[in-house]
């Protein structure tokens, strides 16, 4: 550990070493957590979590100790927060925020505008453009105001593009046109001048038509002075589809636009059964993903889409696939966990 510390350069490292000297002996003997290791690079290392899981004490213990950032997997989505029009319920999101506060973790807000997990009252009728604009504005601003000072970033619009880079034909796009994205960002900014505002999507890790669409949009938004701070790359990867080798270049091109990036929902699934070979390959990918983020200064942090296979969304969505996370179903660390540590120790 000391050797690694010495390898670090700069003022931040000096401060870490200095505070280490003053810390109690016990704390020094303890293995640094993923969060500790990430912090040395000025990054966070986080996990998604979900309200039903919070009764699982062993699960909660690792969630609270290993990570310095959490994201609610579902609790801040529209169906949960505005179940009836104009009637807001922040109880699930608040539970996550309170947990984070108890563990001194940061929270990413997820998500304000998305075509999925919308309440029935919103999807079961037709809206005129002025009606839907008002509904959208109120939803965004009420939620952002509620969590002002409690979340450091928002996924304002989630999954706005198709694989070929065309706009996804969501209720918002169809009724309001592509301008709903800029409007959503502006409304969010009005409600919280400080929070970081992100667009977030999957399959945009590599350079390609979908990430190009974000690049083009981000450039336009910047030129129009629309408040946009970052791009969230979900990074739901799958061994059978190959590694996104242009990830680092892709992160870098967004940096050059003056944007932060974050890996927001990382998991690396495989076709089951999970063999030793596949778990080793998965570990390599986790290492590579971590190194890619560390290589680009404005990649601010990494969030796993929950940390254990016990609570992964994968088996329910992809038949015969799973084992996507660095901890197994018994909450034991897998090779991927040690590979992440190695990458963060460099
Ligand atoms: O983890 C979430 C899972 O519990 C939900 O059932 C699912 C519904 O679509 O959403 C999951 O989270 C998604 C996230 O909000 C956006 N990116 C894709 C994630 C996986 O579906």
């Amino acid at each position: 550990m000391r050797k690694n510390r010495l390898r670090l350069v700069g003022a931040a490292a000096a401060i870490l070493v200095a505070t280490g000297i003053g810390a109690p002996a016990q704390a020094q003997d303890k293995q640094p957590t993923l969060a500790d290791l990430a912090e040395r690079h000025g990054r966070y290392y986080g996990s998604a979590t979900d309200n039903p899981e919070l009764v699982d004490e062993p699960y909660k213990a690792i969630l609270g100790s290993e990570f310095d950032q959490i994201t609610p997997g579902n609790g801040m989505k529209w169906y949960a927060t505005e179940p009836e029009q104009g009637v807001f319920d922040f109880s699930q999101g608040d539970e996550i925020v309170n947990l984070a506060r108890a563990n001194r973790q940061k929270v990413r807000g997820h998500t304000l505008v998305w075509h999925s997990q919308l309440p029935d009252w919103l999807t079961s009728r037709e809206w005129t453009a002025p009606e839907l604009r008002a509904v959208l504005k109120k939803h965004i601003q009420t939620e952002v105001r509620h969590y002002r000072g409690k979340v450091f970033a928002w996924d304002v619009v989630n999954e706005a593009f198709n694989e070929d880079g065309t706009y996804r034909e969501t209720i918002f796009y169809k009724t309001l046109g592509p301008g709903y994205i800029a409007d959503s960002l502006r409304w969010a900014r009005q409600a919280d001048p400080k929070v970081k505002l992100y667009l977030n999507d999957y399959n945009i890790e590599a350079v390609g038509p979908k990430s190009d669409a974000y690049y083009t949009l981000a450039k336009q938004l910047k030129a129009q002075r629309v408040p946009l701070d970052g791009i969230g790359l979900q990074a739901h990867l799958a061994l059978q589809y190959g590694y996104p080798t242009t990830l680092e270049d892709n992160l870098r091109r967004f940096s050059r636009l003056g944007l932060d990036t974050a890996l927001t929902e990382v998991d690396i699934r495989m076709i089951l059964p999970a063999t030793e070979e596949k778990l080793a390959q998965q570990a390599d990918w986790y290492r590579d993903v971590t190194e890619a983020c560390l290589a680009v200064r404005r990649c601010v942090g990494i969030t796993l889409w929950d940390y254990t296979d016990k609570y992964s969304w994968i088996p329910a969505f992809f038949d015969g696939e799973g084992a996507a996370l660095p901890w197994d179903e018994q909450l034991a660390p897998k090779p991927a966990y040690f590979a992440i540590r190695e990458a963060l120790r460099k």
Side-chain angles (χ1 to χ4, degrees):
M1 196 167 111
R2 176 147 297 267
K3 203 166 143 213
N4 275 306
R5 280 186 175 168
L6 288 176
R7 237 185 271 150
L8 286 171
V9 287
I15 290 163
L16 273 171
V17 173
T19 50
I21 288 165
Q26 207 188 0
Q28 280 195 347
D29 294 337
K30 233 176 59 183
Q31 277 248 72
T33 63
L34 294 186
D36 293 334
L37 295 171
E39 213 175 291
R40 297 178 190 177
H41 300 272
R43 310 309 207 278
Y44 60 82
Y45 207 99
S47 172
T49 188
D50 207 357
N51 300 77
E53 301 160 16
L54 300 180
V55 294
D56 181 340
E57 292 300 332
Y59 165 82
K60 258 173 85 176
I62 296 175
L63 183 73
S65 61
E66 197 76 38
F67 304 99
D68 57 355
Q69 181 274 319
I70 57 178
T71 305
N74 289 297
M76 290 186 186
K77 291 172 178 174
W78 202 322
Y79 79 102
T81 52
E82 196 182 356
E84 286 173 57
Q85 189 177 356
V87 179
F88 289 84
D89 177 357
F90 294 115
S91 52
Q92 292 186 55
D94 288 354
E95 190 185 8
I96 307 283
V97 165
N98 291 337
L99 179 71
R101 187 181 298 158
N103 292 321
R104 281 189 246 109
Q105 294 163 319
K106 321 204 279 180
V107 179
R108 290 194 88 253
H110 175 80
T111 173
L112 298 166
V113 188
W114 190 27
H115 63 277
S116 185
Q117 293 181 286
L118 291 170
D120 285 342
W121 63 263
L122 180 52
T123 52
S124 61
R125 56 159 282 192
E126 297 285 315
W127 301 89
T128 65
E131 282 170 347
L132 190 61
R133 265 179 77 80
V135 162
L136 187 60
K137 181 177 179 185
K138 179 165 185 185
H139 178 75
I140 290 172
Q141 296 204 317
T142 308
E143 182 155 6
V144 171
R145 246 182 248 123
H146 179 83
Y147 287 114
R148 197 167 155 160
K150 294 177 177 163
V151 306
F152 75 97
W154 269 111
D155 290 329
V156 178
V157 180
N158 195 40
E159 303 176 2
F161 286 104
N162 295 313
E163 295 305 299
D164 65 358
T166 57
Y167 281 99
R168 192 191 281 269
E169 302 255 327
T170 67
I171 178 175
F172 309 108
Y173 179 82
K174 283 195 288 193
T175 316
L176 304 172
Y180 84 92
I181 297 177
D183 284 339
S184 297
L185 291 162
R186 289 193 185 103
W187 292 327
R189 174 57 76 236
Q190 281 172 9
D192 185 344
K194 289 199 185 137
V195 72
K196 300 283 184 199
L197 304 177
Y198 279 72
L199 303 176
N200 188 53
D201 213 327
Y202 60 89
N203 281 351
I204 59 165
E205 294 72 40
V207 174
K210 198 173 182 182
S211 61
D212 288 350
Y214 277 94
Y215 185 74
T216 305
L217 174 64
K219 214 169 169 176
Q220 282 168 2
L221 293 173
K222 281 279 172 195
Q224 294 160 8
R225 307 230 171 277
V226 175
L228 172 69
D229 300 300
I231 303 292
L233 296 83
Q234 293 181 9
H236 292 294
L237 306 181
L239 292 185
Q240 67 272 24
Y241 299 136
Y243 184 80
T245 50
T246 49
L247 173 60
E248 191 182 314
D249 291 340
N250 196 28
L251 293 171
R252 225 178 274 288
R253 70 171 168 162
F254 286 109
S255 299
R256 276 194 235 104
L257 290 182
L259 290 167
D260 288 345
T261 50
L263 304 178
T264 53
E265 304 184 13
V266 181
D267 50 25
I268 304 175
R269 62 187 189 267
M270 60 186 71
I271 296 167
L272 298 172
T275 61
E276 214 171 288
E277 203 185 348
K278 282 186 239 177
L279 290 171
Q281 193 190 357
Q282 180 188 51
D284 287 343
W285 284 33
Y286 268 103
R287 179 187 302 112
D288 291 348
V289 162
T290 308
E291 285 177 355
C293 181
L294 293 183
V296 180
R297 193 178 52 83
R298 294 202 67 166
C299 180
V300 297
I302 300 177
T303 310
L304 303 171
W305 206 238
D306 226 319
Y307 72 85
T308 159
D309 293 334
K310 187 173 183 183
Y311 297 122
S312 173
W313 66 293
I314 299 291
F317 282 76
F318 299 95
D319 211 18
E321 297 179 42
L325 293 163
W327 278 260
D328 71 14
E329 289 182 29
Q330 279 72 48
L331 306 181
K334 292 155 66 175
Y337 169 75
F338 299 101
I340 296 168
R341 296 187 67 88
E342 248 174 62
L344 291 173
R345 274 182 181 284
K346 278 186 194 153

